[in-house]
Amino acid sequence: QVQLVESGGGLVQAGGSLRLSCSASGSTLRDYAMGWYRQAPGKQREMVATINISGNTDYADSVKGRFTISRDNAKNTVYLQMSNLKPEDTAVYYCNALQWGIVSWGQGTQVTVSP
């Protein structure tokens, strides 16, 4: 099973930007579809962005035009570039990897957006 570690979270003012990274070990990400999910207090975990092994992407309606998911297979890393952040983006952000119906999750990184 692949091990995933997120980094890059923190506190930012509304309108600012952050770049999250998801670094993998134990397997090559070339074989996985990847995604970013988030969970805010009192809410269910929701999909933010996904990218398949061909590089095709999909985004939640709430983040389209503001967030960009990308992958660097040579570095075994997936990124989430977040721009024009809003207070409602505040959540713990999780990276995941999918192969053959089996999902692996990272530990999460906190993103807090102040008004």
Side-chain angles (χ1 to χ4, degrees), residues 14-84:
S17 299
L18 285 173
R19 189 191 194 194
L20 306 183
S21 298
C22 174
S23 298
S25 61
S27 187
T28 174
L29 292 187
R30 290 185 178 89
D31 301 326
Y32 292 83
M34 304 296 298
W36 285 96
Y37 291 70
R38 67 187 182 187
Q39 187 167 21
K43 294 186 177 181
Q44 295 179 319
R45 189 173 298 186
E46 64 176 350
M47 187 274 286
V48 176
T50 60
I51 184 167
N52 68 11
I53 59 174
S54 298
N56 296 317
T57 59
D58 194 19
Y59 298 91
D61 288 341
S62 59
V63 307
K64 286 181 178 178
R66 300 189 297 119
F67 291 10
T68 301
I69 187 172
S70 62
R71 63 194 302 157
D72 187 336
N73 290 334
K75 296 181 179 179
N76 227 25
T77 301
V78 176
Y79 304 96
L80 184 68
Q81 178 66 52
M82 305 185 294
S83 300
N84 192 24

